[in-house]
């Protein structure tokens, strides 16, 4: 069978600049990642070469410039940048960097038992990488677990600077806030979007504190298996304030790690501290010895039942199980997956598996075996052992891959795989109103009680007051979606 060759990308075995393409690592909407080496040196070490599918894609030059300016073990080593000439004569940018083999951060944690000390060491390395870029005025803008690789030797590397920002960078989007992934956005970014949502020229200037908040979300998600609850986008705290459980209430993390994660999630940007101060605190905590620091991070009973209890509790409940978790009942059918091992620019594919990571079931069984034996002689709780309930809940919290909501980071480059993703709270204030109706949109007359007329088309009013959430437009103080006429009923049966 002949394999399909995309004419927008070079073929295996071809030479791109001075680089020989050895193998294809990954492909997505915006580009293809190859393993390559220098064509004139058979003994040269392999590198990662990422080439754009679309001519002149600004993401590639942006990432190349960030890597060129940064020399640090926590950031992939820059090798080269150039243009590949396609058969049609179009110029496609490519970037060459160090090939970093390893697991993405979340899968590294699940691959075997990890202690608070091990997590602190990895987070400290990520923070050191951030220090190296922040001192140059660079902000990552899409920091998350999927953009962190951990090598077999334990080296943590921050990857995917395609949406990064530096002081003299040319804009790559025309949106109020920069590209990124919603659940990791700092509260002040979301509130800026809310305040200036009607101002076409308003632009948020990225800050190091944005990355630090994202680091806090990453760390919280890593050790608890869930996201912190969302903040108020409007800044209106007259309602029920965010109830953020400490990581130690959901998992057996050390007091040192617990105390370092919480400030990073502060709604006050200054309370997160300076990047270098955070890195130094993580380093000091990683040197701590003792039972709390070295024991595996496993879920507490409260963490194990967070999902089920949250779904069964009425709104406003103040029990310990009301964590503000981002999961939903729709995730309950998720099948388990083995960890993914990834390179600096692409992931090895996650394949469907029948078992959970062995350390999860064996570790929890060792801790709770005697308790289960006693329970099994009497009342069984919903026909499942406590550790089985936690594993199911933990699996539902596992996101497959968090895709950026602006589509410029590397996770948009990589193809999205078809396994379930944990539901994260919607943090989008609203989409900007389009300049024209959508194809096939309903034309006036519009239903007076349910629709309004704008841009010569009908729009369904689904909410009276913003924020409108993902997929909604704000128009005249209301939340609307495009309205479409129902298809005409058939006038006769099938022939």
């Amino acid at each position: 069978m002949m394999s399909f060759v995309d004419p927008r990308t070079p073929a295996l075995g071809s030479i791109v600049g001075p680089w020989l393409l050895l193998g294809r690592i990954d492909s997505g909407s915006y580009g293809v990642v190859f393993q390559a080496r220098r064509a004139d040196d058979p003994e040269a070490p392999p590198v990662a070469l990422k080439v754009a599918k679309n001519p002149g894609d600004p993401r590639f030059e942006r990432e190349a410039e960030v890597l060129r300016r940064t020399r640090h073990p926590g950031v992939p080593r820059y090798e080269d940048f150039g243009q590949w000439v396609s058969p049609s004569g179009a110029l496609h940018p490519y970037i060459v960097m160090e090939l970093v083999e390893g697991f993405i951060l979340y899968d590294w944690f699940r691959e075997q038992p990890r202690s608070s000390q091990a997590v602190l060491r990895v987070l400290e390395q990520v923070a050191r990488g951030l220090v190296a870029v922040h001192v140059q005025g660079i902000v990552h803008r899409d920091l998350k677990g999927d953009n962190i690789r951990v090598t077999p030797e334990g080296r943590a590397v921050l990857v995917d600077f395609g949406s990064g920002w530096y002081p003299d960078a040319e804009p790559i989007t025309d949106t109020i806030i920069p590209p990124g992934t919603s659940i990791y956005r700092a509260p002040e970014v979301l509130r800026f979007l809310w305040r200036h949502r009607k101002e076409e020229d308003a632009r948020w200037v990225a800050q190091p504190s944005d990355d630090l908040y994202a680091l806090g979300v990453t760390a919280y998600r890593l050790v608890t298996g869930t996201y912190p609850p969302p903040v108020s986008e409007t800044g209106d705290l007259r309602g029920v304030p965010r109830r953020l459980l400490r990581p130690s209430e959901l998992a057996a993390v050390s007091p040192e790690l617990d105390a370092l994660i919480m400030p990073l999630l502060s709604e006050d940007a200054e309370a997160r501290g300076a990047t270098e101060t955070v890195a130094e605190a993580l380093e000091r905590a990683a040197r701590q010895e003792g039972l709390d620091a070295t024991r595996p991070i496993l879920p507490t009973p409260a963490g194990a039942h967070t999902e089920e209890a949250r779904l069964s509790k009425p709104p406003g409940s103040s029990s310990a199980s009301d964590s503000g978790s981002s999961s939903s009942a729709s995730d309950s059918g998720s099948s388990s997956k083995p960890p993914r091992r990834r390179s600096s620019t692409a992931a090895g594919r996650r394949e469907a598996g029948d078992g959970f990571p062995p350390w999860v079931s064996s570790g929890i069984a060792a801790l709770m075996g005697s308790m289960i034996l006693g329970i099994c002689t009497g009342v069984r709780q919903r026909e499942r052992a406590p550790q089985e309930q936690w594993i199911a809940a933990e699996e539902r919290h596992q996101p497959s891959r968090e895709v950026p909501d602006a589509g410029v980071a590397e996770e948009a480059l990589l193809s999205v795989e078809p396994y379930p993703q944990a539901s994260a709270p919607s943090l989008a204030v609203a989409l900007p109103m389009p300049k024209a109706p959508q194809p096939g949109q309903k034309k006036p007359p519009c239903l007076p009680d349910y629709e309004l007329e704008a841009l010569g088309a009908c729009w369904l009013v689904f909410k009276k007051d913003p924020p409108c959430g993902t997929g909604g437009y704000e128009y005249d103080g209301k939340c609307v979606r495009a309205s479409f006429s129902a298809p005409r009923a058939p006038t006769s049966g099938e022939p």
Side-chain angles (χ1 to χ4, degrees):
M1 178 182 294
M2 296 182 62
S3 61
F4 172 75
V5 177
D6 190 338
R8 298 175 298 170
T9 60
L12 289 181
S14 62
I15 296 178
V16 176
W19 307 97
L20 173 65
L21 302 186
L22 303 175
R24 189 181 179 110
I25 298 176
D26 212 334
S27 176
S29 300
Y30 295 98
V32 179
V33 185
F34 296 93
Q35 181 174 322
R37 67 164 172 80
R38 289 198 172 273
D40 58 356
D41 184 4
E43 303 299 322
V47 294
L49 186 149
K50 184 163 61 175
V51 60
K53 287 184 175 180
N54 300 316
D57 193 325
R59 303 167 183 83
F60 290 75
E61 185 174 359
R62 174 68 58 90
E63 183 165 14
E65 184 59 29
V66 170
L67 298 185
R68 186 185 293 117
R69 296 182 181 201
T70 309
R71 295 287 181 179
H72 190 272
V75 176
R77 183 181 65 255
Y78 170 81
E79 294 286 350
D80 190 21
F81 177 78
Q83 303 282 343
W84 170 71
V85 182
S86 72
S88 66
L91 296 178
H92 295 247
Y94 68 84
I95 178 175
V96 184
M97 68 187 80
E98 173 189 7
L99 181 64
V100 182
E101 296 287 353
F103 289 108
I104 68 170
L105 179 64
Y106 297 141
D107 289 337
W108 165 85
F109 182 82
R110 302 178 68 204
E111 189 257 343
Q112 68 180 55
R114 305 294 179 183
S115 66
S116 294
Q117 190 174 63
V119 169
L120 284 163
R121 287 170 178 163
V122 164
L123 294 178
E124 184 259 330
Q125 293 180 68
V126 176
R128 293 293 183 190
L130 284 178
V131 171
V133 297
H134 286 173
V135 295
Q136 303 178 75
I138 299 169
V139 182
H140 189 283
R141 300 203 302 188
D142 196 29
L143 191 152
K144 56 189 177 185
D146 278 344
N147 287 338
I148 298 169
R149 302 289 179 267
V150 183
T151 70
E153 298 76 28
R155 173 187 165 210
V157 184
L158 182 59
V159 303
D160 185 12
F161 286 88
S163 58
W165 182 87
Y166 44 89
D168 53 341
E170 292 292 330
I172 56 177
T173 63
D174 59 358
T175 55
I176 295 176
I177 60 175
T181 305
S182 289
I183 191 62
Y184 295 85
R185 289 192 186 278
E188 59 270 22
V189 180
L190 297 170
R191 290 165 185 170
F192 181 89
L193 174 59
W194 170 258
R195 290 194 303 271
H196 302 281
R197 64 193 184 282
K198 298 181 180 180
E199 303 171 21
E200 294 184 359
D201 296 331
R203 296 291 181 271
W204 172 262
V205 178
Q207 307 289 329
S209 55
D210 301 356
D211 284 347
L212 290 178
Y213 184 84
L215 180 62
V217 175
T218 298
Y220 193 95
R221 156 79 178 79
L222 181 68
V223 299
T224 68
T226 189
Y227 295 101
V231 298
S232 166
E233 298 173 21
T234 64
D236 183 0
L237 301 179
R238 289 175 296 178
V240 178
R242 176 168 79 156
R243 183 167 184 266
L244 177 61
L245 294 182
R246 303 187 71 90
S248 57
E249 295 182 73
L250 299 173
V253 302
S254 70
E256 294 80 11
L257 177 55
D258 189 71
L260 288 171
I261 292 176
M262 292 300 289
L264 295 176
L265 295 173
S266 173
E267 298 187 35
D268 178 4
E270 293 186 0
R272 296 169 209 150
T275 310
E276 186 169 5
T277 303
V278 171
E280 291 172 351
L282 288 166
E283 182 181 13
R284 286 194 301 271
R287 292 199 297 263
Q288 297 284 338
E289 299 289 345
L291 179 61
D292 286 339
T294 56
R295 67 181 179 181
I297 298 176
L298 294 173
T300 63
H305 300 296
T306 293
E307 174 66 5
E308 291 186 18
R310 186 187 70 83
L311 294 174
S312 63
K313 283 289 180 182
S317 170
S318 60
S319 71
S321 61
D322 183 16
S323 65
S325 155
S326 61
S327 279
S328 70
S330 62
D331 298 317
S332 61
S334 300
S335 60
S336 56
K337 313 291 180 188
R340 288 170 286 171
R341 191 162 182 170
R342 303 290 297 268
S343 71
S344 60
T345 55
R349 295 295 188 190
R350 182 200 290 255
E351 299 175 354
D354 295 328
F356 294 97
W359 67 268
V360 175
S361 56
S362 62
I364 299 177
L367 288 175
M368 305 185 69
S370 59
M371 181 186 300
I372 296 168
L373 288 175
I375 294 174
C376 288
T377 60
V379 179
R380 297 190 60 178
Q381 186 180 43
R382 297 191 183 184
E383 300 300 322
R384 293 191 298 172
Q387 70 269 29
E388 292 172 333
Q389 295 177 19
W390 163 252
I391 292 172
E394 192 266 354
E395 281 297 311
R396 290 195 293 272
H397 286 305
Q398 295 292 336
S400 59
R401 182 180 294 172
E402 296 112 346
V403 181
D405 50 22
V408 299
E410 181 174 306
E411 294 303 327
L413 167 74
L414 301 176
S415 53
V416 179
E417 296 168 347
Y419 48 85
Q421 176 169 335
S423 172
S426 171
L427 298 178
V429 172
L431 295 171
M433 195 69 176
K435 300 184 184 300
Q438 298 182 15
Q441 189 169 343
K442 181 180 176 182
K443 303 296 183 184
C446 306
L447 296 174
D449 294 333
Y450 305 101
E451 297 174 335
L452 57 80
E453 180 179 343
L455 304 175
C458 296
W459 301 82
L460 179 66
V461 179
F462 68 92
K463 190 178 178 184
K464 293 183 178 180
D465 300 303
C468 300
T470 303
Y473 302 100
E474 182 183 347
Y475 181 81
D476 195 24
K478 300 180 179 65
C479 297
V480 301
R481 292 193 179 102
S483 183
F484 296 89
S485 299
R488 181 178 299 177
T491 57
S492 62
E494 295 182 358

